[in-house]
Amino acid sequence: MKLSHNNIRFLLVSLSVLLLFSLTGCWSSHEIEELSLGVGVAFDIGKKSTIEKKINEQDEGYSKKDQITTTYQLITSQLASSMSKEGGSQQQSYVNISETGDSILQEVRELSLVTDLPFNASHMKVIVIGDKLARSYSLDRLLDQYLRDNDFRPSCLMFISKGRARNTLVSKKAGEVPAFRLFGMVDNAYRSTRILPPISIIKLDGKLKSGSSFLLQNVISENGEVKFAGAAVIKGKTKKLRGFLNEEELEGITWITGKGKGGLVKSFDKQTSGLIVYEIASMKSKITSHVKGNNISFVVNIESEGRLSENWVVSGNSFDNTFLKRAEESTEKEVKRLVDHTIKKTQKEYRVDVAGFGNRLRIEHPKVWEKVKKDWDQTFSEVPIYYNVKITIKDYGASGHK
């Protein structure tokens, strides 16, 4: 039997209608108005809130140790609605809720005891860990629950706070969400060599499993204001906080790795002591490993091109090649100082490799790496490191001293 064109069309339409009934849709979903969206979380050494102390006085609640205080930053559509109605002048655009205990998952679940809206972590932007806690617990233990949670956003960025982490999730600026502020600040890397490439929780998982030491951006807070201030050194073996690099030392790391996107170098002219500011247009670095018998060494070749952005040398003619050469040499000297100081700090004081020297050895001399990788941080602290710096001023603005 041959079907007509109309019959075929009728069968296709009927089949499409029947397929619609098989689609369940988002049957288990919640309306956005019914959710508390978690956008930031901070971990600190345990410190009970007033209400938690009250509960303990009544001898109620779960049995738990007061090891970790977790602060969740939440936003809801109700908050956004009240903001728009009141013009955003007084109303905060976020709510911070803290829970104290010894289980991260239990603390999440206890949010349901203090808010009527279910907690949702799929929009999480930042995790900040206080320095005291990071010295006491390994990061893989602290973040185990989040690394296992499929609902947790893998692009969430990691920070360490020198001080209480919960204070970094506070702002006095109306309408500002502190978690969004921190998340956005990393985009300023093209303006400064003091901002690390962002490390998401998924990248952190890889670093923790590799056993290598690494850096996390340090953020400090005071009265609702925050600032990126150097980096936290995480030791690969213990996965705990080893110490901090200050802002200049982080600049040194940026020059060693060549991962800077922009920034400046401030130096002083050797003849007049006048201030010279070099603005970075490009930066690259190449680390080369050398093996001779049982001896390992490294050479770091750093190159950068940029512009003379500020010149306080009264007699310095920006159009004069002799002066430009002095400016380049002055900048090179300052970069060498930053690099030398940072290498000494990481090798002699902290005894950790956070700049990727071991990775270059692994790539260039894999057999040697297999012999030394178990105690690489210790070996790294004893190897010679040499470095060369080449600065080229390609641009000096539209005017100069005559």
Side-chain angles (χ1 to χ4, degrees):
M1 180 180 176
K2 195 171 183 179
L3 294 174
S4 68
H5 180 71
N6 288 336
N7 288 336
I8 293 174
R9 179 180 292 179
F10 175 76
L11 287 173
L12 290 174
V13 172
S14 299
L15 181 60
S16 299
V17 173
L18 290 173
L19 287 173
L20 288 174
F21 289 107
S22 67
L23 300 177
T24 57
C26 301
W27 59 272
S28 62
S29 67
H30 292 277
E31 296 294 333
I32 192 169
E33 293 85 358
E34 300 173 356
L35 294 174
S36 285
L37 301 179
V39 293
V41 61
F43 294 109
D44 287 299
I45 285 288
K47 186 177 181 180
K48 292 180 183 177
S49 64
T50 303
I51 192 169
E52 287 175 317
K53 291 178 181 177
K54 185 70 174 178
I55 290 172
N56 275 14
E57 290 174 4
Q58 298 175 359
D59 195 28
E60 297 177 3
Y62 286 112
S63 174
K64 57 185 179 181
K65 297 178 181 178
D66 304 323
Q67 294 176 337
I68 302 170
T69 293
T70 307
T71 301
Y72 303 91
Q73 185 154 103
L74 312 176
I75 58 174
T76 69
S77 62
Q78 293 177 5
L79 279 171
S81 176
S82 64
M83 280 289 294
S84 61
K85 290 178 180 177
E86 298 182 20
S89 57
Q90 300 294 328
Q91 181 75 23
Q92 274 192 332
S93 54
Y94 65 92
V95 171
N96 288 346
I97 301 176
S98 296
E99 294 290 341
T100 300
D102 51 13
S103 165
I104 304 300
L105 181 58
Q106 180 183 336
E107 291 176 20
V108 173
R109 293 293 185 262
E110 292 206 359
L111 289 179
S112 61
L113 304 179
V114 295
T115 177
D116 60 335
L117 301 176
F119 175 72
N120 184 290
S122 60
H123 293 274
M124 192 68 68
K125 295 294 185 183
V126 298
I127 297 175
V128 188
I129 302 176
D131 62 324
K132 290 184 179 179
L133 190 69
R135 291 182 190 274
S136 303
Y137 295 92
S138 63
L139 296 189
D140 56 343
R141 289 178 63 192
L142 282 172
L143 300 171
D144 178 74
Q145 196 268 325
Y146 288 153
L147 293 170
R148 293 172 183 270
D149 190 349
N150 291 330
D151 293 331
F152 201 87
R153 176 167 284 196
S155 60
C156 178
L157 299 185
M158 296 296 311
F159 299 95
I160 296 291
S161 171
K162 201 169 186 180
R164 296 290 288 182
R166 63 178 296 172
N167 294 338
T168 66
L169 297 182
V170 175
S171 173
K172 292 185 177 181
K173 186 177 179 180
E176 183 174 64
V177 179
F180 292 168
R181 173 181 60 185
L182 284 177
F183 190 82
M185 284 170 63
V186 299
D187 293 334
N188 293 329
Y190 74 101
R191 308 287 288 180
S192 175
T193 51
R194 299 181 180 187
I195 299 178
L196 282 171
I199 295 184
S200 63
I201 192 169
I202 196 69
K203 288 183 180 179
L204 180 72
D205 189 30
K207 289 182 178 294
L208 292 172
K209 289 177 179 177
S210 73
S212 300
S213 300
F214 59 94
L215 299 175
L216 288 175
Q217 188 78 53
N218 173 46
V219 56
I220 59 174
S221 58
E222 183 69 29
N223 295 324
E225 297 181 359
V226 297
K227 181 186 178 182
F228 285 167
V233 178
I234 308 299
K235 189 172 177 62
K237 270 195 172 182
T238 64
K239 300 175 177 57
K240 295 180 181 180
L241 176 64
R242 176 68 178 83
F244 288 92
L245 299 182
N246 63 29
E247 293 178 70
E248 279 198 348
E249 291 158 354
L250 178 52
E251 283 188 281
I253 289 290
T254 303
W255 282 104
I256 293 169
T257 61
K259 293 182 178 179
K261 295 181 180 180
L264 58 86
V265 179
K266 186 174 70 173
S267 62
F268 296 90
D269 179 54
K270 63 181 180 181
Q271 291 187 12
T272 66
S273 298
L275 177 67
I276 296 172
V277 178
Y278 168 81
E279 188 173 6
I280 302 164
S282 67
M283 173 195 298
K284 61 181 179 180
S285 172
K286 184 178 181 181
I287 299 175
T288 306
S289 60
H290 298 272
V291 177
K292 191 173 182 179
N294 294 324
N295 298 319
I296 301 170
S297 63
F298 293 93
V299 174
V300 185
N301 290 305
I302 299 169
E303 295 182 12
S304 175
E305 293 184 354
R307 69 193 302 265
L308 181 61
S309 289
E310 192 173 353
N311 174 21
W312 288 68
V313 181
V314 177
S315 59
N317 182 356
S318 298
F319 298 108
D320 181 67
N321 287 334
T322 303
F323 172 72
L324 289 176
K325 185 64 177 176
R326 274 169 41 207
E328 289 173 344
E329 291 175 351
S330 174
T331 304
E332 288 171 356
K333 182 179 178 181
E334 175 61 12
V335 172
K336 287 177 182 178
R337 184 191 71 81
L338 291 170
V339 170
D340 183 67
H341 176 67
T342 301
I343 288 175
K344 288 179 179 176
K345 183 72 171 280
T346 55
Q347 277 194 305
K348 305 307 177 186
E349 182 175 343
Y350 289 152
R351 306 174 80 86
V352 292
D353 172 19
V354 292
F357 289 96
N359 190 48
R360 294 308 305 172
L361 183 65
R362 178 186 64 81
I363 294 170
E364 296 170 353
H365 301 278
K367 290 183 179 179
V368 176
W369 172 249
E370 286 300 316
K371 295 178 182 178
V372 300
K373 68 178 184 180
K374 185 176 180 181
D375 296 308
W376 172 242
D377 278 339
Q378 176 61 35
T379 302
F380 166 76
S381 67
E382 300 169 356
V383 299
I385 298 176
Y386 309 97
Y387 46 90
N388 305 299
V389 178
K390 176 62 177 175
I391 299 294
T392 304
I393 296 176
K394 289 286 189 180
D395 180 15
Y396 40 79
S399 65
H401 299 302
K402 296 295 186 182

